[in-house]
Amino acid sequence: MITQPGFLASEFPPSVDVFDYKTLIPSLEGSMWAGAFTKLSLLVWMAVAIVIVFFLVTYRNPTLVPTKKQWLAESVYGVVRNNIATDIIGPQGVRFAPYLATIFCFVFVTNLWSIVPFAQISPNSHLAFPAVLAVLTWLVYIGLGIKKHGVLGYLKHSTVQPGVPWWVHPILVPIEFLSNLILRPITLAVRLFANMFAGHMILLVFTLGGVALWNAGPLLLKPAALGSWVFAVVMTLFELFILSLQAYVFTLLSATYFQSSISEEH
């Protein structure tokens, strides 16, 4: 993403300032909103509005024979409910389908910004946004476990594996505690952040690489610049697959965590 006005006209290679995720919206610079309203926050609010408006408009007048928009909305919800919530959690997973469908749609739309012209970056390539989503899932995950087993029962459920010799527990219990109760939101957030940041960097390398080769002196480098831009287009299509997959994986792992919390056995 080109974050500074006139970036292409500046010297090459660019400075680290182009990776400043707190880049302000130019029209807000110097105003009272400058420090609180950035490009990434704008993209997040736009994603929220898109998801809400899409489902409100789609189900405003539902019909027995669905329209294309209604079919798309029902398909998205159906995939999350049937292929994730029910398959992973079981019959009671239906009650988690609204949350999981919301997470899937929000992550997908915020990821999609990475290939939308003039946006060209996903808010999830900034660790703070995946961290908030991961903490929400973690709070639901912990809350379900405590509601199901009680505080002490849930601690035992999450850290003690049945059938393990007693002398192994001093080693295994701390590992299980860190893995199940502490590290899960961290790994959930880092997985989404790392994939979206890497995709952003790859597109940036091929795009700016083409610019650098085109502006270089030798004429023989012009075809290489065109080749770099072709790869940028190819990687954009690949990024569309990756961003969809990451939305699915985030939702799938959330359902897996919920299942482990409410299951009878560890």
Side-chain angles (χ1 to χ4, degrees), residues 79-89 96 99-101 103-105 107 137 141 184 188 191 244-260:
V79 167
V80 175
R81 182 192 61 192
N82 300 327
N83 293 45
I84 298 180
T86 304
D87 282 357
I88 299 298
I89 304 175
F96 300 107
Y99 174 81
L100 295 173
I103 285 290
F104 174 81
C105 293
V107 173
T137 291
Y141 160 66
R184 281 193 168 180
L188 191 62
R191 181 181 291 104
S244 304
L245 180 63
Q246 289 307 310
Y248 181 82
V249 168
F250 192 97
T251 309
L252 182 70
L253 289 176
S254 297
T256 303
Y257 295 165
F258 298 165
Q259 189 278 333
S260 66

Side-chain angles (χ1 to χ4, degrees), residues 46-246:
M46 289 177 64
V48 171
I50 289 171
V51 173
I52 293 176
V53 171
F54 173 72
F55 280 97
L56 285 178
V57 171
T58 299
Y59 283 98
R60 182 172 53 185
N61 295 306
T63 58
L64 185 60
V65 179
T67 62
K68 292 181 180 179
K69 294 192 295 292
Q70 184 179 338
W71 172 84
L72 178 60
E74 290 176 351
S75 298
V76 171
Y77 183 78
V79 167
V80 175
R81 182 192 61 192
N82 300 327
N83 293 45
I84 298 180
T86 304
D87 282 357
I88 299 298
I89 304 175
Q92 59 180 326
V94 174
R95 63 191 177 109
F96 300 107
Y99 174 81
L100 295 173
T102 302
I103 285 290
F104 174 81
C105 293
F106 179 76
V107 173
F108 175 78
V109 176
T110 49
N111 283 352
L112 196 62
W113 287 125
S114 63
I115 59 174
V116 173
F118 303 107
Q120 297 175 295
I121 188 172
S122 167
N124 293 321
S125 61
H126 189 300
L127 185 56
F129 294 98
V132 171
L133 296 176
V135 167
L136 287 176
T137 291
W138 180 75
L139 290 175
V140 176
Y141 160 66
I142 296 296
L144 288 172
I146 293 176
K147 182 179 179 181
K148 175 73 175 181
H149 305 282
V151 176
L152 295 179
Y154 181 58
L155 286 175
K156 180 181 178 180
H157 174 79
S158 301
T159 59
V160 178
Q161 294 197 18
V164 176
W166 65 268
W167 51 269
V168 179
H169 286 309
I171 300 175
L172 189 60
V173 167
I175 294 176
E176 289 291 306
F177 179 82
L178 287 174
S179 175
N180 295 328
L181 300 179
I182 304 298
L183 295 181
R184 281 193 168 180
I186 297 174
T187 56
L188 191 62
V190 170
R191 181 181 291 104
L192 177 58
F193 157 72
N195 280 278
M196 297 313 301
F197 182 79
H200 175 61
M201 291 295 295
I202 290 173
L203 295 180
L204 189 68
V205 166
F206 282 114
T207 303
L208 295 186
V211 173
L213 292 170
W214 187 266
N215 291 332
L219 186 62
L220 293 176
L221 291 180
K222 303 299 184 183
L226 296 177
S228 181
W229 286 329
V230 169
F231 271 107
V233 174
V234 172
M235 294 308 299
T236 297
L237 298 176
F238 182 69
E239 182 69 6
L240 177 60
F241 167 74
I242 293 299
L243 67 87
S244 304
L245 180 63
Q246 289 307 310

Side-chain angles (χ1 to χ4, degrees), residues 1-5 7 17-20 23-24 26 39 121 200:
M1 181 194 68
I2 298 171
T3 57
Q4 293 180 342
F7 169 77
D17 293 336
V18 300
F19 299 106
D20 183 8
T23 301
L24 304 179
K39 180 174 182 177
I121 188 172
H200 175 61

